[in-house]
DNA sequence: ATTATCTATAGATCTATAGATAATGC
DNA sequence: ATTATCTATAGATCTATAGATAATGC
């Protein structure tokens, strides 16, 4: 019988160390030297496992995207057809992993480095919840991303009731509001 | 009669040079050395006019915020009460100044470095256009910010019809949708 | 007197490559 | 044989301060 928890490959150790650094100390700590130190090797050895730093970052973006998809799929399974439930899950994931979320959404995605279909998979629950309209789905995603980013960046007033703002957006993009009202 | 176009102060020259660098070459070009070179002095001399680099960046953020407020006020004057008109003006400004917009919204704002009331001034037209509900105003702002950032970052599919996504959000946050529907 | 500027430089980093050496797998 | 690792280092930068010198304003 195969080992149920196979030893992680070096590449996996590197990605895991990079993630821990990013999540605990922020983007400035994400250097090849710090990553190597965390793994217990010297920085030049990293280049036997990843061509360059961008490739390490791309692996972290793929992780974040996959976990976002999983969070949305779980929310959909619990509460089918509810954009509010998806929005809550999206917010929860992003606020739990602020540096990772930012890395994954903040700069262009190296699409050749992520699994084909992963972007679509992450978008699918939202598409379904807003009634299958791609334009509504994009607007709803923008709302959720904007709320998360403005919240993470501290741009709302300190005393703002963000739950109410989220509820407003959840209401605005409900599937029932998307079909034919004047 | 006073000079109608007074010579810019050094601080103004420095801010202007910094802005040109940022807008034309992006954030990596925004170094104290490059700024000094553009002004025609040596980098250490900058510190007679700004305490540190963050202060230069704060001046650029204030400029961006003021111009955003002006763009929204102009749109409101042309088309009072229309969130769609404000959203269009917001998008136009951000896409015309992508690096500046990103600098101004991407990281925490040094609020002590910007004119008191400027944040409120920028928010006021939106607040009015959505019918005076602060929660709707925040959700609508998040939508607009999210659309801009996802568009700037290249996260929508290349063939996505973003005009339609903007129109969807503009409809969703219209003042008429904000009062009392079930 | 004060202010602006300069040179020189401290004090930190980074990413990535070259080439040698040790460990592993056939 | 091949792979992983190491040391050494190229080649770039950065921000910011110290202290000297020149220019300006009273």
């Amino acid at each position: 019988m195969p080992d149920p928890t196979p030893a992680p490959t070096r590449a996996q150790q590197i990605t895991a160390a990079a993630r821990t650094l990013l999540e605990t100390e922020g983007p400035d700590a994400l250097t090849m030297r710090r990553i190597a130190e965390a793994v217990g090797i010297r920085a030049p050895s990293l280049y036997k496992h990843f061509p360059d730093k961008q490739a390490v970052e791309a692996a972290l973006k793929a992780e974040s995207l996959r976990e976002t998809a999983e969070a949305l799929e779980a929310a959909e399974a619990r509460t089918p057809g509810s954009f509010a439930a998806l929005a809550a899950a999206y917010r929860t994931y992003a606020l739990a992993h602020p540096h990772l979320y930012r890395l994954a959404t903040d700069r262009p995605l190296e699409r050749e480095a992520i699994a084909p279909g992963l972007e679509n998979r992450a978008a699918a629950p939202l598409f379904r919840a807003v009634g299958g309209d791609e334009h509504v789905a994009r607007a709803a995603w923008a709302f959720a991303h904007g709320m998360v980013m403005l919240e993470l960046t501290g741009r709302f007033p300190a005393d703002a009731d963000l739950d109410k703002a989220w509820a407003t957006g959840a209401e605005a993009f409900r599937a029932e509001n998307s079909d034919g009202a004047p």
Side-chain angles (χ1 to χ4, degrees), chain A residues 49-63:
Chain A
H49 306 283
F50 288 88
D52 51 30
K53 186 183 177 186
Q54 195 182 42
V56 180
E57 292 181 347
L60 295 185
K61 292 181 192 180
E63 259 188 31

Side-chain angles (χ1 to χ4, degrees), chain A residues 10-22 29-36 39 43 45-64 100 103-104 110 113-114:
Chain A
R10 259 299 193 237
Q12 286 167 337
Q13 288 176 27
I14 290 165
T15 304
R19 178 169 178 164
T20 300
L21 273 171
L22 175 65
L30 195 63
T31 72
M32 296 303 263
R33 290 181 173 183
R34 293 293 307 277
I35 295 168
V39 172
S45 303
L46 295 173
Y47 294 85
K48 286 286 171 185
H49 306 283
F50 288 88
D52 51 30
K53 186 183 177 186
Q54 195 182 42
V56 180
E57 292 181 347
L60 295 185
K61 292 181 192 180
E63 259 188 31
S64 179
L100 185 64
L103 175 76
E110 299 82 10
I114 63 166

Side-chain angles (χ1 to χ4, degrees), chain A residues 129-133 135-137 140 170-181:
Chain A
V130 300
D133 183 314
H135 310 300
V136 179
E171 170 66 22
F173 294 115
R174 267 172 47 210
E176 295 80 47
N177 290 344
S178 310
D179 42 20

